[in-house]
Amino acid sequence: MRKAILLSSMLCIAGLSAHAQTFRGLDKSPMDMAYYPDNFAHDRKGDEKALIKVTYSRPAKNNREVMGKLVPFGKVWRMGADESPEIKFYQDATFGGKKVKAGSYSLFAIAGATEWTVILNKDVDFWGAYKYKEENDVLRVKVPAKKTDTTLENFSLQFAKDGNGAVMNFGWENTVVSVPITF
């Protein structure tokens, strides 16, 4: 009887081990996180609190034409790849001159050659922009798009201190867009 129980237990453990070792392959666009204050989780001091966190995926250019092609002008685009990026405000703020309540929002944009519309939307946890609904926008802000001399291979997002607030900078290929934020 003991041998039967022991054998059954070993078979169950072996079956669970085999199942537990099956993983989905890596995403082509790695997920990243940007904080304000910049590099918050790494450089956190004492009781310091984060003010903003963005979780997003970083697609690569991979010899493709990005602006106007991969990121089409005039159409809603999730800022990044895979899941819609999520921006979390830990306190009420002003985003691009418009008030936003503390909370989590998805982050979208409508790219243009010289101006972008950056969108905060109350729907979160969706893949891409396929289920985007304009009626769920919390706010939209228009900001200028600037050309750079250097090429950004991966879509990138980073915060910088600016006076009493911050600037959310994001860019890809040879385009950079900035949104001012105050608290």
Side-chain angles (χ1 to χ4, degrees):
M1 182 72 162
R2 278 186 168 175
K3 285 183 180 182
I5 292 173
L6 182 61
L7 182 60
S8 293
S9 296
M10 290 179 79
L11 286 174
C12 283
I13 290 170
L16 289 173
S17 296
H19 181 68
Q21 293 174 4
T22 304
F23 290 95
R24 177 176 44 253
L26 294 177
D27 287 342
K28 290 181 183 178
S29 301
M31 192 169 284
D32 201 355
M33 204 169 287
Y35 278 98
Y36 184 75
D38 186 42
N39 219 16
F40 172 78
H42 183 268
D43 298 339
R44 187 175 189 172
K45 296 168 189 74
D47 291 335
E48 186 178 34
K49 304 261 190 253
L51 298 172
I52 305 171
K53 176 175 71 174
V54 179
T55 306
Y56 69 106
S57 291
R58 302 185 69 198
K61 184 175 175 345
N62 287 336
N63 297 315
R64 300 177 289 182
E65 188 176 341
V66 175
M67 294 303 152
K69 299 289 182 186
L70 189 61
V71 175
F73 290 151
K75 292 188 177 181
V76 172
W77 172 65
R78 55 141 156 357
M79 290 176 48
D82 303 330
E83 290 87 355
S84 304
E86 189 172 313
I87 185 168
K88 180 176 183 178
F89 292 90
Y90 289 88
Q91 65 182 48
D92 294 354
T94 301
F95 184 83
K98 296 184 179 181
K99 293 191 181 299
V100 63
K101 295 274 187 202
S104 294
Y105 307 93
S106 55
L107 190 56
F108 296 97
I110 300 171
T114 60
E115 182 179 72
W116 284 39
T117 301
V118 180
I119 303 165
L120 299 183
N121 187 283
K122 67 181 178 181
D123 287 336
V124 294
D125 300 319
F126 284 107
W127 198 94
Y130 303 107
K131 296 188 180 193
Y132 166 81
K133 293 180 183 168
E134 185 175 348
E135 63 265 19
N136 293 328
D137 287 355
V138 173
L139 64 80
R140 289 176 169 224
V141 297
K142 291 184 184 278
V143 290
K146 301 170 196 134
K147 295 294 179 194
T148 63
D149 293 333
T150 57
T151 299
L152 287 166
E153 175 62 26
N154 291 80
F155 176 75
S156 300
L157 192 149
Q158 189 170 348
F159 290 96
K161 185 165 180 49
D162 183 46
N164 292 330
V167 175
M168 181 179 76
N169 298 304
F170 56 90
W172 196 10
E173 194 175 40
N174 63 348
T175 300
V176 174
V177 177
S178 301
V179 180
I181 303 167
T182 56
F183 306 96

